[in-house]
Amino acid sequence: MDISYPPETETFRAEVRAFLDASLPVGWSGVGALDEEAAWAFARDWRRRLVERGYLSLTWPEEYGGRGLSKLHQVVLMEELALMGVPFGLPQDTFGVKMLANTLLRWGTEEQKRRLLPRILSGEDTWCQGYSEPDAGSDLASLKTRAVRDDGGTSRSSGAESGGEWVIDGQKVWTSGAHHSDWIFVLARTNPGASKHRGISFLLVPLDQPGVEVRPFRMMSGQLHFNEVFFDGARTRADLVVGGVDNGWTVAQSLLGVERGEEAATNPILFRAEVERLVELARQYGKDRDPVVRQRIAWCWSKVEIMRCLGYRILTGWLKGAEPGPESSIAKLYWSEYHTEVTDLAMDIMGLHGQVPVGRPPLRTYRADDPGAANSSASWSTTYLIARSGTIYAGTSQVQRNILAEKVLGLPREPRLTNP
């Protein structure tokens, strides 16, 4: 297996490293070393620098404000940012820059691209994802949120006549960062007479309007991240549907593949940094010579190495433009289940200290704490709680196993319970 990068991307890697060397302070160990206020200030300023260098829109065509580089250049950028412990923009950029912008570039109309992409890049508009519902999480195609076309009236989202609107009723849940967002991209049923996976549309909806209520709820880690979003006669312009009416399922599936290559490259880096912190934690607690602890740490190290090799396999398919396949389920199941084990070990090492969180909790609300984070009991115990949610969001472990059983092993479908 040849895992070397072509010369043109290595030239770009040198450019990124030079930028990082010139931009980061001497002795930089990662954004995790900063307190919460300083970390947010750094992230906001860092996002501005990434925009100025064209890194936040690296693969966008030049006519839309990008640099027109390849997916592999994007992977190189994400690798170098992860190695230096710096973020790719702000948390909501996951939905605006990574997800929606790439979806618009593939499926959006020219008017949608010209209007929305500059506002996403500048940070003027922040976005969240309206997919899951109380009875349609892993089985997303069972969603009940509906949108009905109204061809009369004035659009609230523009304040002008715009050829009608969509009127939306329903509920979304597990909506990350909705309480910090201006807009939400929503999957809604626009043709109730169509079959399950058809008749769904991908709509762009402003959150600041009558008929939309956002309710944050507190996670067991104590953090506010997820939200419920209720639509009661909410409206959006008729032309703010992406990929065509009733074609939302196809658009949604393509969006789910956007992060596949980047995560395959960066997850092993972030989880490796976490294992290195774990080794230091064992030293701090005098457990680094305990044979059982040493064996468990070695297990964690080997799992991250396997994750890296799996990442190369996924990355190869992603670079070739392949649609997401079973390997996405393998990767999601693998890292989420692994993360519960490594954080279990951290709690065992700390013992009773882990029950009394002291120090700064993680800045992140998913996966590992940021590189450079202190080995505080608050960091590890909160990450331990966050790791449990990793087996639920983005498709539960049970659902991923079912997908693999049916699509890879050819086993029969799981019996579906029906009401008598």
Side-chain angles (χ1 to χ4, degrees):
M1 181 174 63
D2 181 7
I3 58 173
S4 61
Y5 287 69
E8 62 270 19
T9 52
E10 291 304 329
T11 300
F12 177 68
R13 189 187 300 275
E15 174 197 319
V16 175
R17 288 179 176 176
F19 164 72
L20 293 169
D21 289 343
S23 303
L24 296 174
V26 176
W28 175 262
S29 59
V31 71
L34 305 177
D35 63 39
E36 187 170 5
E37 183 177 350
W40 278 108
F42 172 85
R44 287 188 289 268
D45 180 67
W46 189 248
R47 186 189 194 282
R48 176 186 59 79
R49 296 185 184 212
L50 293 177
V51 171
E52 290 175 351
R53 294 284 301 193
Y55 288 160
L56 211 64
S57 54
L58 191 69
T59 60
W60 298 12
E62 294 182 11
E63 60 264 34
Y64 301 119
R67 290 183 55 175
L69 297 181
S70 69
K71 289 181 177 180
L72 191 53
H73 286 88
Q74 180 75 22
V75 168
V76 168
L77 173 65
M78 300 303 290
E79 284 179 341
E80 294 302 317
L81 295 180
L83 285 168
M84 293 303 295
V86 292
F88 180 77
L90 295 170
Q92 293 312 105
D93 286 321
T94 296
F95 304 105
V97 174
K98 290 185 179 181
M99 292 185 177
L100 181 59
N102 284 288
T103 301
L104 289 172
L105 287 169
R106 178 172 178 180
W107 295 98
T109 65
E110 188 62 27
E111 195 278 333
Q112 288 171 347
K113 296 174 189 177
R114 296 289 180 188
R115 177 187 173 200
L116 298 172
L117 290 176
R119 297 173 66 89
I120 291 173
L121 188 58
S122 68
E124 189 173 356
D125 289 341
T126 53
W127 290 82
C128 60
Q129 180 184 39
Y131 274 23
S132 295
E133 299 183 5
D135 295 317
S138 299
D139 184 15
L140 184 58
S142 297
L143 63 88
K144 294 182 174 62
T145 295
R146 60 188 177 89
V148 178
R149 181 73 178 261
D150 178 8
D151 288 323
T154 300
S155 173
R156 295 175 183 171
S157 60
S158 68
E161 295 292 340
S162 56
E165 297 178 310
W166 293 101
V167 183
I168 305 158
D169 292 280
Q171 178 187 356
K172 298 295 180 178
V173 73
W174 308 119
T175 310
S176 301
H179 55 311
H180 297 310
S181 300
D182 308 306
W183 288 75
I184 181 171
F185 48 91
V186 175
L187 288 183
R189 195 164 296 283
T190 47
N191 185 354
S195 60
K196 185 176 179 180
H197 290 83
R198 301 181 184 275
I200 295 172
S201 296
F202 189 104
L203 303 175
L204 311 178
V205 183
L207 287 171
D208 185 14
Q209 62 163 302
V212 176
E213 182 183 0
V214 177
R215 296 182 191 172
F217 51 83
R218 196 170 298 277
M219 301 187 295
M220 63 180 178
S221 64
Q223 297 164 304
L224 290 174
H225 180 62
F226 297 118
N227 300 264
E228 296 175 287
V229 182
F230 296 87
F231 302 99
D232 183 9
R235 291 174 175 265
T236 194
R237 285 175 25 171
D239 61 346
L240 290 180
V241 55
V242 179
V245 177
D246 296 345
N247 193 43
W249 186 256
T250 301
V251 177
Q253 291 300 107
S254 70
L255 182 146
L256 293 174
V258 165
E259 288 190 288
R260 194 165 50 126
E262 294 176 9
E263 287 186 359
T266 58
N267 269 352
I269 295 172
L270 296 175
F271 285 126
R272 169 62 66 81
E274 186 178 61
V275 170
E276 292 171 354
R277 287 181 58 221
L278 185 69
V279 171
E280 184 58 34
L281 184 73
R283 292 194 180 108
Q284 291 177 13
Y285 280 84
K287 303 278 184 75
D288 55 315
R289 295 297 173 183
D290 183 309
V292 175
V293 170
R294 288 168 65 90
Q295 183 177 14
R296 291 174 69 185
I297 290 175
W299 180 89
C300 293
W301 183 91
S302 67
K303 289 294 182 181
V304 173
E305 279 298 290
I306 294 171
M307 192 187 304
R308 182 172 66 90
C309 294
L310 176 60
Y312 285 132
R313 179 180 180 182
I314 294 172
L315 182 59
T316 299
W318 183 73
L319 292 172
K320 291 180 178 178
E323 292 297 322
E327 65 273 11
S328 295
S329 292
I330 294 172
K332 169 59 173 62
L333 180 64
Y334 188 94
W335 72 253
S336 61
E337 294 287 332
Y338 157 78
H339 203 212
T340 64
E341 297 291 335
V342 70
T343 53
D344 274 346
L345 176 53
M347 295 297 287
D348 289 345
I349 290 172
M350 292 188 295
L352 291 178
H353 287 176
Q355 308 302 313
V356 186
V358 175
R360 196 214 71 193
L363 298 173
R364 291 171 177 253
T365 51
Y366 62 99
R367 299 182 197 167
D369 200 350
D370 286 291
N375 266 329
S376 68
S377 55
S379 172
W380 280 107
S381 63
T382 309
T383 303
Y384 165 82
L385 297 176
I386 290 171
R388 270 68 200 155
S389 68
T391 64
I392 300 172
Y393 66 70
T396 67
S397 292
Q398 292 84 353
V399 167
Q400 304 300 342
R401 289 189 175 97
N402 278 353
I403 291 172
L404 294 173
E406 294 169 12
K407 293 189 175 182
V408 178
L409 301 179
L411 297 178
R413 289 177 62 86
E414 182 181 31
R416 298 318 196 242
L417 297 179
T418 57
N419 294 325

